[in-house]
Structure formats: C-alpha cells, structure tokens
Amino acid sequence: MALDPAFVGHTYPTSEVYEVGRAKIREFAESIGDDHPMYRDTAAARAAGHPDVIAPPTFPIILFSHYSMADIINDPELGVDYGRLVHGDMGFQYARPLCAGDRVTVTTRIAAIDVRMGNSFLGLDALIDTEDGTRVVTATAQLVIRAEDA
C-alpha cells in the first residue's frame, strides 16, 4: 500500500542525547577504510582548528540509521513495510564537522512523499543538533518502499 502524502511535514519527537565518541569515530573510519589523521589523532585535529578528532563526513549515517529509521519503521500510522524498503539516496549538509565529545540529538522530519507506479518515495530530513539546539548537520535521505506487486 502506498504511503499517504498527508504525512509530509510530520516531525517526530527529538531523540535522546547521543555523545559522539572517539572510539566510534575511529571504528567508523576504519570500517570505511579512511586513515585520515583527523579521525584518529587529537593533535592533528587540533592543529587543523578542531577541539578534538572529527568524524568522517558520512558518520551521521549512524545517527540516521539508529534514530530516523526507527522513527519511521515504528510508526504504524505511516505504514512503512520494512521488507519492501530500499535505500535510494543520502546527503549531508554541514554547519561544521561532528567532533568527539559533541552531544547531539536527532529530529526526523518527513520532507516528501511521492507515489509513482505504486512505489512510495519517502524523503526524510534528520536534523542533527547539539543538545543546546545548534544545528551541526542535516542528513537527507530518499527511501523507496516498493509496490506490493513489484
């Protein structure tokens, strides 16, 4: 069943606080094969003007996967069939890099729903802010929920 476009603009409650840790940053950098010193070495990050090691640009996928995906999957009114869900696209717009020690929250907003040939294209924004409300990054994603006969 196609998603209802009336959900566009719906915003889910803000997540609990997530503390960005050095170990998580290092593990993520290792998992993507990126050995940039600013992801591992505090001195290198500080020499570049950062307060601590910074996260690779795609690190917010962790926050998106943990919080935003849970928001939509666990919303029975939205009706996302997880078995038919395909990740279509992802983007990140930064105000500044995420740093070790940042305490952030995620607020998920449904930005778009487009139905084509029974397939639902779900556009999401994950607004990632410090706990005092300063925007750090906006992650955008397009998910496709395939039609039942696809």
Side-chain angles (χ1 to χ4, degrees), residues 53-131:
V53 295
I54 62 171
T58 54
F59 183 87
I61 189 68
I62 294 171
L63 301 166
F64 177 83
S65 298
H66 185 74
Y67 296 109
S68 299
M69 289 298 293
D71 285 338
I72 65 160
I73 297 301
N74 295 323
D75 182 348
E77 292 181 26
L78 181 60
V80 170
D81 180 348
Y82 186 72
R84 298 186 167 287
L85 186 141
V86 178
H87 193 263
D89 190 29
M90 190 92 204
F92 306 98
Q93 295 84 41
Y94 276 89
R96 66 163 176 80
L98 278 167
C99 295
D102 278 342
R103 293 175 51 83
V104 297
T105 60
V106 180
T107 305
T108 305
R109 179 178 60 209
I110 297 177
I113 295 176
D114 185 28
V115 179
R116 290 179 254 156
M117 298 176 51
N119 299 302
S120 295
F121 293 78
L122 176 61
L124 295 178
D125 294 333
L127 311 172
I128 301 169
D129 301 327
T130 60
E131 64 185 330

Side-chain angles (χ1 to χ4, degrees), residues 2 8 21 25 27 30 35 37-38 43 52 57 60 67 73 83 87 94 109 117 121 127 132 134-135 144 147-148:
V8 172
I25 290 172
E27 290 167 0
E30 288 171 359
D35 61 358
M38 284 197 296
D52 206 327
Y67 296 109
I73 297 301
H87 193 263
Y94 276 89
R109 179 178 60 209
M117 298 176 51
F121 293 78
L127 311 172
D132 69 1
T134 303
R135 180 73 30 86
V144 180
E148 290 185 29

